[in-house]
């Protein structure tokens, strides 16, 4: 009887030791390996947190989108002579040193100041600009997300050139605004969502020349550019509707007096009207030189003129001063503005500058702001 009891106790001891060994082996730390999405140092244990949760443990709700984003803007771009040669050589490298400054923001926009055609009749004007559809490939490769064609060179080659331009835009899938088969299409904004913020970008041409004074303003059944001079109420109403619908609204205009660094009365009036309609930012080009920039009293940010950017000719020295404007938006307002000075060189490319040259260009910008209605600091 004693032998049986002893043997029974010995068997129970062996069972307990085996159970203990099983528990200990289950608690061993697993070797460290690559974490999820390449996070260094994550372990297999940390990849499965659900195993340590008990029933009823509250889970953390996902963070709400920040609605903070950046948009970069540059001025006039086209592909003639020296820049046309760059485009023909390789569309992917046309912008060269300018590309990193364009591609860094969440959204980037330029003014594409050219017809996209190899046909058509030159219109009654001094300068005529045109290119082929690879220009849109070059913009995309440089990090540009959307372009405006609402300018005084979009229809340099008449009805045929305009038809080709609209066809090229549609075929490319690249977003181009400010021009269309009718007024509804020309005034239609580019829309997107970034970090939870819904954004609407409009474009229009206020320059009074052959394009807006002839048959090339978009109408009820007529193709052309969005005309901000004759049809300003339509633009203002569209901006107001977008702002009321909850969009962060941006307007890119072709406007101003050529070679004048100071804003003109037409620019001032339209900027004020758009600000009252709810535009968070209004930027533009056309003057070929840098114009003033800053905030209106209600918090709308305005840059009256970004100057040339990718340009076909040498031109006067002050027409080579330029840069990339990057605005930071938060909860529907511009909270910060950064300007990266650049200078157009012999190849037509706007290369970033630093040191004394950057200080000089920033000084030109400050002087232009002094003759505007804008404040260099954000209103409190």
């Amino acid at each position: 009887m004693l032998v049986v009891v002893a043997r029974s106790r010995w068997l129970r001891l062996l069972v307990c030791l085996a159970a203990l060994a099983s528990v200990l082996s289950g608690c061993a730390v697993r070797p460290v390996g690559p974490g999820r999405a390449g996070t260094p140092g994550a372990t297999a244990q940390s990849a499965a947190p659900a195993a340590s949760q008990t029933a009823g443990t509250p889970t953390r709700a996902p963070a709400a989108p920040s609605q903070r984003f950046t948009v970069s803007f540059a001025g006039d771009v086209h592909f003639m002579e020296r820049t046309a040669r760059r485009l023909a050589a390789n569309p992917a490298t046309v912008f060269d040193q300018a590309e990193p400054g364009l591609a860094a923001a969440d959204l980037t926009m330029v003014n594409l100041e050219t017809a996209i055609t190899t046909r058509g009749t030159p219109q009654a004007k001094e300068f005529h600009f045109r290119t082929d559809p690879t220009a849109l490939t070059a913009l995309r490769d440089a990090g540009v997300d959307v372009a405006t064609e609402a300018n005084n060179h979009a229809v340099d080659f008449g009805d045929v050139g305009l038809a080709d331009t609209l066809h090229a835009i549609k075929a490319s899938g690249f977003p181009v605004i400010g021009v269309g088969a009718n007024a509804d299409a020309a005034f239609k904004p580019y829309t997107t969502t970034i970090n939870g913020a819904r954004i609407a970008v409009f474009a229009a041409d206020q320059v009074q020349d052959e394009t807006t004074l002839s048959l090339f303003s978009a109408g009820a059944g007529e193709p052309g550019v969005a005309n901000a001079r004759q049809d300003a109420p339509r633009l203002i109403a569209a901006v107001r509707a977008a702002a009321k619908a909850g969009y962060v609204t941006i307007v890119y205009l072709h406007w101003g007096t050529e070679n004048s660094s100071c804003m003109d009365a037409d620019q001032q009036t339209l900027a004020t009207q758009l600000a009252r309609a709810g535009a968070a930012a209004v930027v533009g080009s056309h003057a070929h030189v840098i114009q003033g920039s800053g905030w209106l009293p209600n918090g709308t940010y305005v840059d009256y003129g970004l100057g040339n950017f990718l340009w076909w000719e040498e031109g006067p020295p002050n027409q080579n001063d330029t840069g990339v404007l990057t605005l930071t938006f938060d909860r529907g307002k511009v909270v910060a503005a950064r300007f990266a000075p650049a200078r157009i060189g012999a190849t037509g490319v706007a290369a970033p500058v630093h040191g004394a040259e950057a200080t000089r260009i920033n000084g030109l910008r400050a002087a232009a702001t002094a003759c505007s209605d804008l404040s260099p600091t954000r209103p409190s």
Side-chain angles (χ1 to χ4, degrees), residues 11-378:
L11 288 173
R12 286 200 299 270
L13 178 61
L14 288 176
V15 170
C16 290
L17 288 173
L20 178 62
S22 174
V23 170
L24 290 174
S25 65
C27 294
V29 177
R30 297 172 189 173
V32 174
R36 284 192 329 177
T39 304
T43 65
Q45 283 182 309
S46 65
S52 63
Q53 289 185 341
T54 59
T57 301
T59 58
R60 182 177 297 175
S66 68
Q67 296 193 27
R68 189 178 179 94
F69 61 94
T70 56
V71 183
S72 286
F73 303 90
D76 298 342
V77 168
H78 62 199
F79 302 89
M80 292 288 291
E81 297 190 7
R82 61 185 182 179
T83 55
R85 291 191 291 271
R86 295 185 62 81
L87 182 66
N90 188 350
T93 60
V94 172
F95 285 84
D96 198 12
Q97 309 102 305
E99 182 177 331
L102 293 173
D106 294 314
L107 183 71
T108 298
M109 184 175 186
V110 301
N111 172 56
L112 181 59
E113 192 158 15
T114 180
I116 308 173
T117 183
T118 58
R119 307 185 303 154
T121 303
Q123 298 302 289
K125 56 200 317 182
E126 183 178 1
F127 297 104
H128 304 89
F129 302 139
R130 65 177 168 189
T131 188
D132 63 64
T134 55
L136 301 175
T137 302
L139 293 178
R140 182 183 281 116
D141 288 344
V144 176
D145 300 291
V146 57
T148 168
E149 277 254 6
N151 57 62
N152 59 312
H153 289 287
V155 200
D156 277 358
F157 289 86
D159 291 316
V160 172
L162 176 57
D164 286 352
T165 296
L166 296 177
H167 175 76
I169 293 169
K170 183 177 181 180
S172 73
F174 182 82
V176 178
I177 60 175
V179 67
N182 51 51
D184 287 343
F187 281 95
K188 184 178 180 179
Y190 168 79
T191 59
T192 188
T193 300
I194 302 174
N195 293 335
R198 293 188 300 157
I199 303 158
V201 185
F202 294 85
D205 178 14
Q206 196 190 40
V207 177
Q208 188 166 336
D209 80 332
E210 292 84 355
T211 301
T212 53
L213 292 176
S214 66
L215 300 176
F216 301 122
S217 293
E222 298 293 332
V225 303
N227 188 336
R229 179 171 292 276
Q230 296 177 0
D231 214 356
R234 182 183 188 120
L235 173 63
I236 294 164
V239 168
R240 181 179 291 110
K244 284 185 176 180
Y247 285 89
V248 181
T249 307
I250 300 166
V251 186
Y252 195 124
L253 294 164
H254 208 62
W255 60 352
T257 304
E258 288 192 3
N259 299 312
S260 174
S261 60
C262 294
M263 67 177 189
D264 62 32
D266 289 338
Q267 288 176 286
Q268 182 181 27
T269 297
L270 185 55
T272 301
Q273 291 171 330
L274 291 169
R276 290 173 180 167
V282 180
V283 301
S285 63
H286 170 66
H288 304 302
V289 295
I290 292 172
Q291 295 186 313
S293 59
W295 280 268
L296 289 170
N298 75 327
T300 298
Y301 189 91
V302 178
D303 190 306
Y304 282 118
L306 292 162
N308 302 328
F309 194 72
L310 190 80
W311 203 243
W312 69 294
E313 66 172 355
E314 180 66 26
N318 64 339
Q319 292 189 5
N320 293 320
D321 297 326
T322 185
V324 176
L325 171 68
T326 301
L327 301 180
T328 300
F329 294 77
D330 195 349
R331 305 293 171 180
K333 291 289 187 181
V334 176
V335 297
R338 180 176 60 84
F339 185 76
R343 185 162 176 80
I344 299 171
T347 62
V349 175
V353 295
H354 307 281
E357 190 70 341
T359 300
R360 181 186 65 79
I361 294 175
N362 282 327
L364 294 174
R365 234 173 140 245
T369 300
C371 65
S372 74
D373 57 345
L374 305 173
S375 170
T377 58
R378 182 188 173 204

